[in-house]
Amino acid sequence: MEQITSTSNAEIKAVRNLQDKKYRKAAGLYIAEGYNLVKDIPQSVSVQALYYSPDFQEEGERLAAKFGCKGRLVDQKVMKSITETVSAQGIVAVIRMPEHGEEDFGLGDALFLDGVSDSGNLGTVIRTAAATGFKEIYLINCADCYSGKAVRASMGGIFRVKVIKTDAENARKQLKKYNSVALDMGGTDLFALPEIRGRAALILGSEAHGVSKEMLDAAEICAALPMEGGMESLNAAVAAGIAMYDIQRKRRTI
């Protein structure tokens, strides 16, 4: 197999451009990097191409056959140019963004993320959502869930959830499909709430501003996580994880 050795190669430039949100949106593609992440991509995900360095050639060829996509051998210099991490694990996947419509939602439990602007937090929330069965995610003025940082932080969760970007007005309409709880410091103790029956929706805001007033007003329940020692807030991803597990624990599904 001919090895790509130039960072000026047109194909490599196109892959590198996917590090930019504008190009990701235009192409409908995003990147997942690192062998540990790529090897766990479900076959239902549309992998368009794999790029791998010589030390991962065997694994790269095997994964390209698994996904039925083209595989490209690249040298270390080229690999470094298309990855964002300092010590990437030698494989990059180019993946087609799934297209979900509103008709695909309202079938299970959901997260409404209202202004979560940190990509690492967003990816971590998606990771926990996938693990707890909150597999419908609405993003309202959030960071890009397909950025490299968010994809890596999701640890494969992004491949296992349905994500749709929306605005607050439409999100309020979609909330009617669920029994909704918003996390807010002024709410009732979450742990004291009874089991949420039917489809649950958890609304989480940004660490800086919390859930917006319009989303709080649309929620059926406003709940808070009890805290001691004078602490007033938790990291958004930590708070979301606690709340999702508590909701599911009461149902005894985990």
Side-chain angles (χ1 to χ4, degrees):
M1 179 183 293
E2 183 179 353
Q3 185 179 92
I4 300 176
T5 59
S6 172
T7 58
S8 298
N9 178 283
E11 188 174 341
I12 295 303
K13 283 184 176 180
V15 176
R16 190 161 57 244
N17 282 342
L18 296 177
Q19 296 174 1
D20 187 298
K21 180 179 178 180
K22 176 179 67 176
Y23 287 100
R24 287 195 297 272
K25 183 177 180 181
L29 300 169
Y30 69 101
I31 289 173
E33 66 176 73
Y35 174 68
N36 287 336
L37 182 58
V38 173
K39 72 180 177 61
D40 291 332
I41 297 176
Q43 284 193 268
S44 58
V45 172
S46 180
V47 178
Q48 302 294 292
L50 285 179
Y51 297 85
Y52 38 86
S53 55
D55 50 339
F56 279 87
Q57 183 173 357
E58 182 179 346
E59 293 89 342
E61 291 175 352
R62 176 174 54 80
L63 289 171
K66 170 187 171 182
F67 297 127
C69 68
K70 67 179 180 181
R72 293 286 188 267
L73 180 65
V74 304
D75 69 9
Q76 295 290 355
K77 179 179 63 177
V78 172
M79 177 57 61
K80 185 176 180 180
S81 78
I82 60 174
T83 54
E84 296 177 323
T85 53
V86 176
S87 53
Q89 289 182 312
I91 294 184
V92 169
V94 175
I95 302 168
R96 175 72 56 189
M97 293 180 187
E99 296 181 4
H100 296 300
E102 290 174 358
E103 66 279 1
D104 299 319
F105 288 69
L107 305 175
D109 296 330
L111 268 182
F112 284 72
L113 301 181
D114 184 14
V116 177
S117 59
D118 183 90
S119 298
N121 274 343
L122 178 60
T124 302
V125 171
I126 290 172
R127 176 183 183 180
T128 309
T132 55
F134 281 75
K135 295 185 178 180
E136 300 179 3
I137 301 179
Y138 297 81
L139 301 180
I140 309 157
N141 298 319
C142 290
D144 182 10
C145 65
Y146 295 115
S147 71
K149 186 175 180 180
V151 171
R152 292 191 300 275
S154 81
M155 293 296 290
I158 191 65
F159 310 135
R160 295 168 171 83
V161 297
K162 294 181 288 187
V163 177
I164 191 168
K165 298 176 183 178
T166 187
D167 55 33
E169 181 179 0
N170 186 57
R172 292 196 304 273
K173 295 178 183 176
Q174 298 305 315
L175 268 180
K176 297 175 182 178
K177 298 177 179 178
Y178 310 89
N179 298 311
S180 55
V181 179
L183 279 187
D184 182 75
M185 287 297 297
T188 304
D189 183 343
L190 177 69
F191 300 152
L193 292 176
E195 172 191 349
I196 298 174
R197 298 186 180 275
R199 293 183 292 271
L202 178 66
I203 308 167
L204 180 77
S206 69
E207 291 179 79
H209 306 291
V211 179
S212 64
K213 185 179 185 303
E214 51 193 342
M215 291 302 290
L216 279 177
D217 290 344
E220 295 173 333
I221 301 170
C222 183
L225 295 174
M227 282 176 273
E228 298 182 6
M231 298 302 295
E232 296 182 352
S233 66
L234 289 174
N235 171 275
V238 172
I242 293 170
M244 285 186 283
Y245 268 100
D246 182 66
I247 289 170
Q248 298 294 42
R249 178 189 61 83
K250 289 169 182 172
R251 296 167 161 181
R252 300 183 182 276
T253 59
I254 292 180

